[in-house]
Amino acid sequence: MAGSRQGAASIFRINLRTGIVAPAWALMLAITIIATPAVQAQTYTVIHNFTGGYAGAWPWTDLTITPSGRMYGTTFHGGSSQDFDCQYSGCGIVFELYRRDGNWIFNPLYDFRLQYGGFPKSAPVIGSDGALYGAALTGGLLSTDCINAGCGTVYKLQPSPTRPTNFLLSWHPTIVYAFTGSEDDGGNPGGLIRDQAGNLYGGNGGGPYACGLIYELSLSGNTWTFNKLYDGFQCNGDYESIGPGGLVFDNEGNLYGTTYQGGSGQCTAYRLGCGTVFQLTHTDSGWTATTLHKFNQATDGGGPGGLVRDAAGNLYGGAESGGSGGGGTVWELSPTDGGGWTFSVLNNFPGSNYTGPAGRLARDAAGNLYGITQSDGAYGRGNVFKFTPSNGGWIYTDLYDFTGGNDGAFPLKGPSLDTAGNIFGTAYYAGSNNDGVVWEITP
């Protein structure tokens, strides 16, 4: 039985070309009754306030957490770069957070320069060599098909082999791959995942009609090779990217992902369709794509985020728009004995387009799901929620509602869990300096 709730949401829009978020402050909706109040036993704490400039601003990132509890993430702006497109607010930074003597220590690792990338929207992953690998939305080869700012990069960061002259350059950057914007390699990449061999995988807006492609970066010795795995995504004959990403592996090495748009032309929130869930199966002749689900805005949502998979092969995700409440959904896609898939909506959120769940859900060992909404919740600035499996259904719990004050506002990527079950995430706006925050919720 799906959960449900009532509540108010503010409206803000994300420009998919530039990545700029524009809140519609004047359009805040009135707060209505919330059926499931926040659990008071949970403790919400801001563990870091971004301050802009050298220390980063406006985090559009999830967090990568090591078994020891050290965290890595990025900010979309901030840093000291005066490069093209970065001179007003910076190209972003890579940072780490770790505990020492009960306190959280914030350490900027790298201040982006456009030749290595700019405006990252996801956390780096930890490579098999211990280095950090990430994707940047722009930068790299300038004056390419993406004109002046570059088409984006996959970058590598590791501690500088020599004593740094600037603490913001204490980690040394290397370009693993610079996208050209052509149909063969695309551009504006999303986040990365890696396999056990250390190869990297991601999606971007390339392909024959700029409808998206999935790629692999394979490592042999010290050399990285770019391999286009699949570029057959369709976008109704238009030249808008449908944004494949949110990838996850199964035990056989098959890839699953979502497209932000595409799949159906009947979607008022997205002119190129509401999005899909797809599977890429590895065969001797290459990779074969299968569409597992096409979203319908009115019934199951639109604009799906990343995937999380359980041991039984079920896929879970959120959609930021649509559903019966209008404010997005959380859903499950389950394999059947006959080789098909069954789609179920677990929860319909109230609100308007672009207010619902974003990024990837997190799943703990007990099977509970955790996520964020961009601008739902009691104050219309987003919230953190939990779904608990119970008697064949799911119980929805509102863990925290952002107020837009010192606690932050408008989280844009899903939460992450540490080994103790603590929940961590970022909020793009507000905080004590209005540059966003990193937050923690403890059980």
Side-chain angles (χ1 to χ4, degrees):
M1 183 178 191
S4 62
R5 66 185 296 269
Q6 300 294 318
S10 65
I11 300 171
F12 73 97
R13 294 180 178 272
I14 302 172
N15 185 315
L16 297 176
R17 289 291 190 187
T18 65
I20 302 301
V21 179
W25 302 100
L27 296 179
M28 289 293 179
L29 304 179
I31 298 172
T32 59
I33 297 173
I34 298 178
T36 308
V39 175
Q40 297 303 313
Q42 306 285 335
T43 301
Y44 177 91
T45 307
V46 172
I47 63 174
H48 180 71
N49 277 280
F50 292 96
T51 58
Y54 291 97
W58 303 336
W60 194 331
T61 185
D62 43 6
L63 296 168
T64 295
I65 306 179
T66 69
S68 66
R70 190 173 293 254
M71 296 188 291
Y72 298 94
T74 62
T75 64
F76 193 68
H77 288 297
S80 62
S81 174
Q82 296 297 305
D83 294 335
F84 177 82
D85 269 10
C86 304
Q87 56 185 314
Y88 299 109
S89 53
C91 287
I93 70 167
V94 180
F95 64 85
E96 68 175 345
L97 271 168
Y98 59 92
R99 286 187 193 269
R100 177 187 293 167
D101 299 327
N103 298 312
W104 284 98
I105 307 299
F106 175 81
N107 184 25
L109 300 181
Y110 179 66
D111 177 1
F112 277 99
R113 301 296 192 269
L114 267 186
Q115 66 265 38
Y116 294 106
F119 307 112
K121 293 172 61 178
S122 58
V125 299
I126 301 172
S128 55
D129 58 357
L132 299 179
Y133 293 85
L137 192 67
T138 63
L141 299 172
L142 306 185
S143 298
T144 62
D145 284 358
C146 303
I147 314 179
N148 294 316
C151 299
T153 66
V154 172
Y155 61 86
K156 174 183 178 180
L157 284 178
Q158 56 191 148
S160 178
T162 59
R163 183 179 180 86
T165 58
N166 184 324
F167 78 97
L168 283 174
L169 301 177
S170 59
W171 283 48
H172 179 69
T174 304
I175 292 181
V176 173
Y177 189 79
F179 296 93
T180 68
S182 73
E183 68 177 58
D184 292 324
D185 71 344
N188 307 131
L192 301 174
I193 63 170
R194 78 172 184 90
D195 63 18
Q196 293 183 347
N199 303 308
L200 303 172
Y201 299 81
N204 66 33
Y209 300 102
C211 297
L213 63 78
I214 303 296
Y215 64 88
E216 173 195 30
L217 285 162
S218 58
L219 180 62
S220 177
N222 294 319
T223 302
W224 290 91
T225 300
F226 179 90
N227 303 301
K228 181 172 61 176
L229 302 185
Y230 182 78
D231 66 355
F233 294 102
Q234 302 295 317
C235 50
N236 298 338
D238 204 303
Y239 288 87
E240 184 81 16
S241 170
I242 57 174
L247 301 174
V248 65
F249 280 110
D250 67 13
N251 296 334
E252 288 72 45
N254 302 309
L255 279 167
Y256 299 82
T258 62
T259 63
Y260 183 74
Q261 295 187 54
S264 172
Q266 304 301 314
C267 193
T268 58
Y270 314 94
R271 66 188 181 91
L272 299 177
C274 302
T276 69
V277 183
F278 64 87
Q279 177 190 46
L280 289 180
T281 305
H282 195 193
T283 67
D284 292 339
S285 57
W287 292 78
T288 301
T290 303
T291 299
L292 304 183
H293 182 71
K294 298 180 180 181
F295 285 87
N296 184 317
Q297 182 183 358
T299 59
D300 53 33
L307 299 176
V308 62
R309 182 179 178 272
D310 67 15
N314 301 305
L315 302 172
Y316 302 91
E320 68 177 23
S321 179
S324 63
T329 63
V330 168
W331 48 268
E332 175 184 9
L333 195 56
S334 302
T336 64
D337 292 338
W341 293 79
T342 299
F343 182 91
S344 304
V345 174
L346 305 184
N347 192 74
N348 288 282
F349 292 85
S352 302
N353 294 337
Y354 319 111
T355 64
R360 194 188 304 267
L361 302 176
R363 183 177 179 273
D364 65 18
N368 302 305
L369 298 172
Y370 302 83
I372 56 93
T373 64
Q374 300 173 82
S375 55
D376 192 27
Y379 308 101
R381 269 74 167 179
N383 78 326
V384 185
F385 61 82
K386 174 183 178 180
F387 279 101
T388 305
S390 176
N391 297 322
W394 294 83
I395 298 174
Y396 172 93
T397 304
D398 182 358
L399 298 180
Y400 186 77
D401 297 301
F402 293 93
T403 70
N406 288 340
D407 61 338
F410 305 131
L412 298 181
K413 282 291 179 73
S416 302
L417 305 177
D418 68 7
T419 55
N422 301 305
I423 312 164
F424 296 88
T426 60
Y428 190 86
Y429 280 120
S432 61
N433 301 290
N434 226 25
D435 291 313
V437 304
V438 180
W439 51 265
E440 174 186 17
I441 295 178
T442 57

